[in-house]
């Protein structure tokens, strides 16, 4: 289980001051699917990066399975079972898709095994397995390859920052099926930052972040009716 205790974060300004992004966030995550949503600039992506270890909080503690991981790097957190998928995936010149999937799996895997992960995310394995992860790949292709990497890792906690971005040509329903298979494999938690109504509807728990604070939290049946059409600046969308 992941537990955030009194997490705050302030970003330094050029003038020497600080801008408060998150303020006293307290949150427990043990459910299968947890969706964090909120207006643009509310701090939800910052919160995801703090969980992954990309950003260090200004105050507060982060516990994972009872261990204090507040000061651990993203690498150390990955070793403990936390994965993070960027909103804009990183390009790695010189590495092939198979290289990345093998690195994610933590061992040299066979071509057939790597191809199975690519197939899960709707990519024709023969066309991608030996391609270099560089500018020749579109943002949507990179997003799916990154999801395939997380499938290969099979971690206790998988964090996705707007995973639906760039997958217009791939069935949205397939993305949801990938999340379901990921949970079946790991029995862990999947944390998703999203505005998509369909993703919010599959969540066991919905967390609303606004102005750097948790504005609402609970089961989707209780939270969603309060969210839609009531939160200024929060645009929820539906994908067919």
């Amino acid at each position: 289980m992941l537990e955030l205790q009194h997490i705050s974060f302030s970003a330094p300004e050029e003038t020497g001051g600080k801008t408060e992004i998150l303020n006293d966030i307290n949150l427990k995550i043990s459910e299968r699917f947890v969706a964090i949503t909120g207006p643009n600039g509310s701090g939800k992506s910052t919160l995801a990066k703090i969980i992954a270890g990309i950003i260090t909080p200004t105050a507060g503690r982060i516990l994972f399975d009872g261990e204090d991981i507040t000061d651990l790097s993203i690498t150390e957190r990955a070793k403990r079972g936390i994965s993070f998928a960027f909103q804009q995936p990183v390009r790695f010149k010189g590495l092939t898709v198979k290289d990345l999937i093998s690195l994610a799996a933590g061992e040299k895997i066979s071509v057939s095994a790597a191809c199975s992960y690519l197939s899960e995310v709707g990519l024709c394995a023969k066309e991608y397995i030996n391609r270099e992860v560089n500018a020749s790949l579109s943002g949507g292709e990179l997003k799916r390859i990154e999801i395939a990497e997380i499938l290969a890792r099979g971690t206790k906690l998988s964090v996705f920052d707007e995973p639906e971005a760039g997958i217009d040509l791939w069935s949205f329903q397939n993305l949801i099926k990938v999340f379901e298979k990921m949970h079946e494999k790991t029995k862990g938690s999947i944390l998703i930052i999203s505005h998509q109504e369909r993703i919010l509807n599959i969540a066991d728990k919905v967390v609303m972040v606004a102005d750097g604070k948790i504005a609402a939290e609970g089961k989707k049946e209780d939270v969603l009716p309060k969210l839609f059409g009531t939160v200024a600046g929060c645009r929820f969308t539906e994908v067919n």
Side-chain angles (χ1 to χ4, degrees):
M1 181 180 73
L2 180 77
E3 183 176 359
L4 307 181
Q5 298 180 344
H6 305 289
I7 293 295
S8 296
F9 177 74
S10 297
E13 299 175 344
E14 292 183 359
T15 57
K18 292 184 177 181
T19 299
E20 185 178 74
I21 307 297
L22 296 173
N23 181 18
D24 198 29
I25 297 288
N26 291 284
L27 181 65
K28 291 182 180 181
I29 295 172
S30 59
E31 294 82 0
R32 182 182 54 162
F33 294 121
V34 177
I36 296 181
T37 192
N40 291 331
S42 62
K44 55 189 184 297
S45 288
T46 299
L47 184 60
K49 290 175 181 176
I50 284 175
I51 291 170
I54 298 170
I55 296 174
T56 301
T58 306
R61 295 198 310 158
I62 305 169
L63 303 180
F64 187 57
D65 288 343
E67 179 187 5
D68 190 335
I69 63 168
T70 311
D71 297 323
L72 295 186
S73 67
I74 185 172
T75 301
E76 290 300 319
R77 293 188 198 195
K79 291 178 181 178
R80 282 160 174 76
I82 299 177
S83 293
F84 180 77
F86 290 88
Q87 187 174 347
Q88 297 295 329
V90 181
R91 298 175 187 270
F92 297 93
K93 187 176 181 180
L95 288 178
T96 66
V97 172
K98 182 178 181 295
D99 291 334
L100 277 184
I101 295 177
S102 291
L103 287 170
E107 60 182 355
K108 189 174 182 180
I109 62 175
S110 66
V111 171
S112 62
C115 287
S116 68
Y117 290 119
L118 291 175
S119 297
E120 291 282 1
V121 297
L123 295 177
C124 178
K126 290 182 179 179
E127 294 181 11
Y128 289 92
I129 194 68
N130 292 316
R131 285 185 65 176
E132 191 172 311
V133 186
N134 56 23
S136 68
L137 294 171
S138 70
E141 289 170 328
L142 284 170
K143 175 72 75 173
R144 287 195 255 176
I145 289 167
E146 186 175 48
I147 294 173
E149 290 176 58
I150 292 181
L151 274 171
R153 289 202 64 217
T155 48
K156 297 179 189 176
L157 175 64
S158 302
V159 183
F160 293 89
D161 191 358
E162 298 194 18
E164 69 276 4
I167 62 164
D168 295 344
L169 298 179
W170 186 40
S171 166
F172 191 82
Q173 190 61 37
N174 284 339
L175 177 62
I176 293 175
K177 288 179 180 178
V178 167
F179 290 146
E180 290 172 345
K181 287 183 179 179
M182 189 179 297
H183 174 71
E184 289 173 6
K185 177 181 177 181
T186 66
K187 303 302 179 184
S189 297
I190 298 171
L191 176 63
I192 306 171
I193 309 296
S194 181
H195 285 149
Q196 293 290 351
E197 182 178 349
R198 198 173 293 180
I199 283 183
L200 299 183
N201 275 319
I202 69 167
D204 301 306
K205 179 187 218 176
V206 176
V207 179
M208 173 70 189
V209 178
D211 297 324
K213 300 178 180 180
I214 294 180
E217 172 190 355
K219 293 181 179 180
K220 60 185 177 184
E221 296 85 358
D222 299 325
V223 177
L224 291 185
K226 301 175 184 178
L227 297 184
F228 292 99
T230 64
V231 183
C234 190
R235 177 176 58 84
F236 296 93
T237 54
E238 177 64 83
V239 175
N240 297 318

